[in-house]
C-alpha cells in the first residue's frame, strides 16, 4: 500500500488572523485538537523487522499471564528502561499493572510456535511451554524458548489509542549463553537471525 500523500492546501482556505495564536488555525483550533487521520500503519511497520518477545506476569490468583509483544525498545541505559506496548483491553496488561511488574522474554529463532501460541489467546498457553519463576523474577521465564529475559518493575504507563505504553525499569537481566540466535519478525513472517547473518557482507552492503 502506498504511503498517504500530503493534501495540497486549498487556495480558498483563509489565512490565520492576527488574533489567532501562532499554532492555531483561523478557527482557533490547535494541531493537538485536530482529529488524527485514519491511517493503517500495518503495511509500514511490516517492513520494519524486529525481534519477538513474550511479556509475562502473574495474576492476583497466582496464575501466569502472558502475550506476544513485538512493539518494544530500550529507552535509557541509566536507569535501564524498556518500553513495551500492549492492548489496553486484555488480562495480561491488567495483571501486570496490578502486580506492578513483568518479565520480557526474548524468543530464540526456534520458538516461532511459542510466539504464535502467545498471540493466539489460548487460555492454556502456559501448559504448552516450559516455564519457571526464579527468585526475584517479576514474571514467568520461558526457559526453553528464550535467549534472554528482562525482569522489570513498571515505572509509569501512557494510554495511546487502543494500546497502553508501559515504561519498565529493568531490575534483572538473564542471558542464556547456550540458546539459539534471536527470532525475527517482518513482512508478516518469521525469520532466523542465523540465516540473515549468514549473508556475505558484500551482498548485504550492496543490497
Amino acid at each position: 500500500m502506498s504511503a498517504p500523500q500530503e493534501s495540497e492546501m486549498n487556495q480558498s482556505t483563509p489565512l490565520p488572523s492576527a488574533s489567532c495564536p501562532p499554532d492555531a488555525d483561523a478557527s482557533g483550533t490547535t494541531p493537538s485538537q485536530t482529529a488524527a487521520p485514519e491511517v493503517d500503519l500495518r503495511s509500514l511497520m511490516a517492513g520494519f523487522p524486529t525481534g519477538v518477545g513474550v511479556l509475562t506476569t502473574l495474576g492476583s490468583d497466582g496464575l501466569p499471564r502472558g502475550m506476544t509483544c513485538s512493539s518494544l525498545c530500550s529507552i535509557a541505559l541509566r536507569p535501564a528502561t524498556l518500553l513495551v506496548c500492549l492492548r489496553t483491553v486484555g488480562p495480561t496488561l491488567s495483571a501486570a499493572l496490578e502486580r506492578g511488574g513483568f518479565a520480557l522474554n526474548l524468543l530464540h529463532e526456534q520458538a516461532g510456535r511459542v510466539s504464535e501460541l502467545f498471540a493466539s489467546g489460548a487460555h492454556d498457553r502456559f501448559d504448552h511451554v516450559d516455564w519457571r519463576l526464579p527468585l526475584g523474577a517479576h514474571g514467568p521465564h520461558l526457559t526453553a524458548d528464550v535467549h534472554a529475559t528482562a525482569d522489570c518493575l513498571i515505572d509509569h504507563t501512557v494510554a495511546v489509542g487502543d494500546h497502553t505504553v508501559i515504561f519498565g525499569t529493568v531490575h534483572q537481566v538473564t542471558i542464556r549463553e547456550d540458546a539459539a540466535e534471536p527470532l525475527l519478525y517482518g513482512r508478516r513472517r518469521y525469520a532466523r537471525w542465523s540465516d540473515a547473518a549468514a549473508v556475505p557482507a558484500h551482498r548485504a552492503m550492496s543490497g
Side-chain angles (χ1 to χ4, degrees), residues 6-99:
E6 294 184 7
S7 58
E8 297 180 356
M9 179 177 290
N10 189 322
Q11 294 182 351
S12 64
T13 302
L15 295 175
S17 66
S19 61
C20 291
D23 60 348
D25 62 20
S27 65
T29 301
T30 61
S32 62
Q33 295 172 314
T34 304
E38 290 292 333
V39 176
D40 189 349
L41 283 178
R42 289 173 294 185
S43 296
L44 172 68
M45 298 311 297
F48 186 69
T50 67
V52 183
V54 172
L55 186 147
T56 59
T57 189
L58 293 177
S60 57
D61 53 6
L63 297 177
R65 305 282 193 276
M67 66 177 295
T68 299
C69 175
S70 60
S71 297
L72 57 96
C73 64
S74 61
I75 294 296
L77 297 178
R78 297 181 180 176
T81 305
L82 294 177
L83 176 156
V84 296
C85 298
L86 296 180
R87 292 191 306 273
T88 298
V89 179
T92 299
L93 176 62
S94 298
L97 294 177
E98 186 172 359
R99 183 174 178 80

Side-chain angles (χ1 to χ4, degrees), residues 73-196:
C73 64
S74 61
I75 294 296
L77 297 178
R78 297 181 180 176
T81 305
L82 294 177
L83 176 156
V84 296
C85 298
L86 296 180
R87 292 191 306 273
T88 298
V89 179
T92 299
L93 176 62
S94 298
L97 294 177
E98 186 172 359
R99 183 174 178 80
F102 60 89
L104 181 62
N105 296 270
L106 300 182
L107 301 182
H108 62 59
E109 62 184 14
Q110 298 171 5
R113 69 164 190 88
V114 177
S115 174
E116 293 286 353
L117 175 64
F118 279 84
S120 69
H123 296 294
D124 62 345
R125 65 194 77 175
F126 281 93
D127 294 338
H128 301 282
V129 296
D130 294 329
W131 65 275
R132 64 188 183 93
L133 192 67
L135 183 66
H138 295 298
H141 288 200
L142 307 183
T143 51
D145 300 296
V146 303
H147 63 85
T149 303
D151 287 287
C152 307
L153 288 177
I154 296 176
D155 182 83
H156 67 284
T157 64
V158 178
V160 181
D162 57 359
H163 279 62
T164 295
V165 182
I166 303 174
F167 293 83
T169 303
V170 182
H171 283 244
Q172 178 176 284
V173 172
T174 304
I175 304 294
R176 281 195 56 196
E177 301 293 349
D178 61 339
E181 298 289 350
L183 178 67
L184 301 177
Y185 186 78
R187 298 294 188 190
R188 299 184 177 88
R189 62 181 182 268
Y190 295 103
R192 297 159 55 95
W193 173 267
S194 58
D195 292 339

